Amino acid sequence: MRILIVEDQPDISTLIADRVRRAGYAPHCVQALADIPEALGACDYSVMLLDRRLPDGDGLSIVAAAKRIRPGIRILVVTAARSIEDRVDGLDAGVDDYLTKPFSTEELLARIRASLRRPGGEPAPPVVVGRLSFDLNSESASVGGFPLVVPRRELVLLGALMRRAGRAVTFSALLQEIYGSDEHKHIGALKMVAMRLRHRLDEQDAGVEIHAPRGIGYLIREARGP
């Protein structure tokens, strides 16, 4: 599960990112309202942790647009704005939960888990390429109707490619989704994950191929004939 953290104070942003990463989520941090649409367009985030007092405005002003870009995303406000009126404004704006600073990271994780258990809008149809089907709602895959069981990083890579089936996904975007970082030291690890996933899909006769446009990244497409 990917989490977008919108927080302009680096110490708080780092604290939250480290804690959610240790809990098994993939965090990405931005610092302003203007950064949010691009971030949501690049990755399929399940949760956004949103501060209200940002350099370019009130975080609540982006809630409606964020839900148009990513229907079903859960938005949790994490803010120092703590009056009853502030909470009411947040809930009326469409956020899913409201947590005030200072906060316990354990409570934050509990609220994230609770938000993910609640329905998040209309379910998205599966993405199908060849005999491979990827369920965007459960983040699970199947081949010919039978579940495809893969390690977590292979599944994250597969999901990132299937959500953009037929289009190249850059190394940087994939590294961010899988490792929460686009540092070059992970490129070798990413290539190993892709190699293992290719082998697994070939073994299952999934009817797809993972193509690597030179110097760009990876894309998944239906396998071509001999």
Side-chain angles (χ1 to χ4, degrees):
M1 291 286 183
R2 284 161 294 283
I3 295 181
L4 179 62
I5 300 167
V6 187
E7 169 61 63
D8 66 320
Q9 297 185 47
D11 55 340
I12 296 178
S13 180
T14 300
L15 170 68
I16 295 174
D18 288 347
R19 190 64 187 88
V20 300
R21 186 180 293 110
R22 290 200 301 272
Y25 303 106
H28 176 61
C29 301
V30 299
Q31 296 183 334
L33 293 174
D35 301 325
I36 295 174
E38 181 178 359
L40 292 179
C43 290
D44 186 11
Y45 293 98
S46 300
V47 174
M48 178 164 66
L49 304 179
L50 178 65
D51 191 10
R52 285 195 60 176
R53 296 171 179 171
L54 295 166
D56 51 350
D58 187 338
L60 296 185
S61 66
I62 199 73
V63 170
K67 294 209 168 190
R68 285 195 299 270
I69 296 170
R70 288 290 174 194
I73 192 171
R74 283 73 163 180
I75 300 178
L76 281 65
V77 167
V78 184
T79 181
R82 57 190 305 145
S83 72
I84 294 297
E85 292 79 6
D86 290 326
R87 293 170 183 264
V88 170
D89 288 345
L91 295 171
D92 284 347
V95 306
D96 298 276
D97 205 347
Y98 200 103
L99 182 63
T100 59
K101 301 173 182 176
F103 57 88
S104 159
T105 54
E106 292 305 316
E107 181 181 2
L108 175 62
L109 290 173
R111 289 176 183 252
I112 290 171
R113 292 192 296 268
S115 74
L116 291 171
R117 289 194 294 269
R118 294 194 290 267
E122 292 297 318
V127 179
V128 179
V129 180
R131 300 179 63 241
L132 175 66
S133 176
F134 189 84
D135 188 321
L136 298 170
N137 307 288
S138 63
E139 298 277 322
S140 61
S142 60
V143 176
F146 294 93
L148 177 69
V149 180
V150 298
R152 184 187 67 82
R153 284 178 176 164
E154 291 179 38
L155 183 62
V156 174
L157 174 59
L158 180 60
L161 297 176
M162 288 293 279
R163 284 192 299 275
R164 309 166 179 85
R167 293 183 288 145
V169 187
T170 64
F171 288 126
S172 178
L174 293 172
L175 288 169
Q176 188 68 56
E177 291 211 31
I178 296 171
Y179 299 101
S181 168
D182 60 1
E183 294 183 17
H184 293 297
K185 67 182 180 182
H186 292 302
I187 285 283
L190 171 60
K191 290 181 177 179
M192 289 297 296
V193 172
M195 182 183 70
R196 291 194 293 266
L197 179 59
R198 275 197 189 104
H199 181 66
R200 202 179 305 275
L201 294 173
D202 287 344
E203 282 186 331
Q204 297 295 319
D205 191 24
V208 301
E209 62 182 18
I210 296 176
H211 177 59
R214 184 178 296 275
I216 298 175
Y218 294 106
L219 68 84
I220 196 166
R221 64 191 181 194
E222 190 167 353
R224 298 176 177 177

